C-alpha cells in the first residue's frame, strides 16, 4: 500500500511541475511555446487557461491527499 501511494505521489508531483510551468505568467511562460499565447482581447482568461487551472487544482488535491495518506500509513505502520 505504501508503494501505491508513493507511485501516485511521484506521478502527481511531476504533473504538478509540468502544469505549473504551462500556466501563463506575466511574461507568458512556457504556455506561449505551445500556442497558449493566443487569448481574447476582452480581458478574461481563455477557455484553455480555465481548463488548465481546473486540472492543476484537481491534480493538487490528489497530490495533497496522497501526502496525507502516505503520512498516516507510515505513522501507524510501526
Amino acid at each position: 500500500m505504501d508503494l501505491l501511494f508513493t507511485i501516485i505521489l511521484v506521478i502527481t508531483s511531476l504533473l504538478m511541475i509540468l502544469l505549473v510551468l504551462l500556466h501563463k505568467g506575466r511574461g507568458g511562460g512556457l504556455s506561449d511555446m505551445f500556442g497558449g499565447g493566443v487569448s481574447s482581447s476582452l480581458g478574461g482568461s481563455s477557455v484553455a487557461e480555465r481548463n488548465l487551472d481546473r486540472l492543476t487544482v484537481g491534480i493538487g488535491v490528489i497530490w495533497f491527499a496522497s501526502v496525507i495518506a502516505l503520512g498516516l500509513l507510515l505513522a501507524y505502520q510501526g
Side-chain angles (χ1 to χ4, degrees), residues 29-43:
L30 288 177
S31 62
D32 282 341
M33 291 174 57
F34 302 109
V38 180
S39 62
S40 64
S41 62
L42 298 175

Side-chain angles (χ1 to χ4, degrees), residues 10-67:
V10 168
I11 291 171
T12 55
S13 296
L14 293 173
L15 281 173
M16 283 295 291
I17 291 169
L18 178 69
L19 290 172
V20 167
L21 287 175
L22 284 175
H23 275 285
K24 185 174 183 180
R26 287 187 197 168
L30 288 177
S31 62
D32 282 341
M33 291 174 57
F34 302 109
V38 180
S39 62
S40 64
S41 62
L42 298 175
S45 58
S46 66
V47 174
E49 189 72 23
R50 285 193 304 256
N51 288 337
L52 185 61
D53 290 341
R54 291 180 187 141
L55 185 61
T56 304
V57 169
I59 296 295
V61 167
I62 295 170
W63 180 85
F64 182 73
S66 65
V67 167

Side-chain angles (χ1 to χ4, degrees), residues 2 61 74:
D2 296 342
V61 167
L74 293 177

